[in-house]
Amino acid sequence: QVQLEESGGGLVQAGDSLTLSCTASGRTFDTYAMGWFRQAPGKERELVSTISGKGGSYSYGDSVKGRFTISRDNAKNTVYLQMNNLIPEDTAVYYCAARRGIYRGRHSTPTDFGSWGQGTQVTVSS
């Protein structure tokens, strides 16, 4: 397991951009597929984006496709989520997660990931 810590959340206006970061402990970061999930009050945890260990494969949820970009820097043990053109519906707690094993891309579910960060709040005002 790895320890994950997110940062970069905050309060922004609709149309603004924000970049989330997630830094992992350990030396084998590139063996973990990484995912970003989000959860709004009263809603289930939703898959936002995933990226494979080497960064060559990635996926996005339909609600963020074209607006969000996932990337990773394995030398820094960090995965990023660049969020552009934010809308109020993006308001949620965003979680970073790590998975060892086969990369599942858009078929990923929360139970596929064994390590989670504490979450960072993103609030988008209209």
Side-chain angles (χ1 to χ4, degrees), residues 3-71:
Q3 304 291 325
L4 303 173
E5 183 172 1
E6 304 99 334
S7 61
L11 172 63
V12 297
Q13 293 186 333
D16 285 352
S17 297
L18 204 59
T19 299
L20 305 182
S21 300
C22 172
T23 301
S25 63
R27 301 181 180 180
T28 58
F29 182 63
D30 63 352
T31 66
Y32 288 87
M34 300 298 295
W36 286 100
F37 292 79
R38 67 186 183 186
Q39 189 164 19
K43 294 188 176 182
E44 293 187 354
R45 194 163 293 192
E46 174 191 13
L47 177 64
V48 175
S49 184
T50 66
I51 189 167
S52 60
K54 302 297 185 184
S57 299
Y58 43 84
S59 70
Y60 298 97
D62 288 340
S63 61
V64 306
K65 203 172 294 183
R67 299 188 298 121
F68 290 12
T69 302
I70 193 170
S71 62

